[in-house]
Amino acid sequence: MTDVLSTTDFGVVDRMFGAIEKGDMDELRTCFAPNALAWQNRNEKDLDVDTVIAILSRLCALSTARAYEDRRSTAVGSQLFRQHTLTAVLRSGRQLRLPAMMRVEVDSDGLVARIEEYYDSRATDVLAEKAE
């Protein structure tokens, strides 16, 4: 469900999530503006697109399937606020379940200019665990 308080086209956000679900990092890269930045509460630093792609490439390498579930969005101006749960089936046999809240800013070219993401980093501990 999306509440709309904006005239901005947020299709790029759906493309971004779809690319991650498919593991298509080339498609993901096309979603970002050249100088886009992403901030995560885990490290409280702005990350450039190359770093974001590297992090998500690692997630894709460690998993066989990914899905963004329970998506709820509110659009305000050029910003989309999205709450979702990222789930992934890991090659270790374990499951990742990562509830998150994100603010995505889309620029005038329709590309992602900035992301701010909030999640409990303990949920990602499963990525470092070895299969038993």
Side-chain angles (χ1 to χ4, degrees), residues 60-64 66 89-94 131:
C60 291
L62 293 173
S63 60
T64 59
R66 293 149 303 281
V89 178
L90 304 178
R91 294 186 189 283
S92 68
R94 302 198 187 264

Side-chain angles (χ1 to χ4, degrees), residues 6-19:
S6 170
T7 58
T8 301
D9 180 0
F10 292 103
V12 69
V13 177
D14 290 329
R15 273 194 324 128
M16 179 179 71
F17 283 109

Side-chain angles (χ1 to χ4, degrees), residues 37-41 46 79-82 101-105 114-118:
L37 294 172
W39 179 92
Q40 295 176 330
N41 67 297
D46 283 335
Q79 301 175 82
L80 185 73
F81 296 86
R82 176 162 284 176
M101 182 67 153
M102 195 179 253
R103 182 183 73 83
V104 182
E105 186 176 329
R114 181 164 181 84
I115 296 174
E116 293 175 357
E117 183 177 33
Y118 301 85

Side-chain angles (χ1 to χ4, degrees), residues 51-126:
T51 302
V52 170
I53 298 289
I55 290 167
L56 291 168
S57 291
R58 181 173 180 269
L59 170 64
C60 291
L62 293 173
S63 60
T64 59
R66 293 149 303 281
Y68 286 91
E69 301 173 348
D70 304 322
R71 299 180 193 190
R72 292 174 298 285
S73 301
T74 299
V76 179
S78 64
Q79 301 175 82
L80 185 73
F81 296 86
R82 176 162 284 176
Q83 182 178 358
H84 60 260
T85 302
L86 170 60
T87 60
V89 178
L90 304 178
R91 294 186 189 283
S92 68
R94 302 198 187 264
Q95 299 251 342
L96 170 70
R97 184 175 184 283
L98 181 66
M101 182 67 153
M102 195 179 253
R103 182 183 73 83
V104 182
E105 186 176 329
V106 174
D107 69 11
S108 60
D109 293 326
L111 297 173
V112 173
R114 181 164 181 84
I115 296 174
E116 293 175 357
E117 183 177 33
Y118 301 85
Y119 63 91
D120 181 352
S121 61
R122 290 176 298 177
T124 62
D125 289 349
V126 70

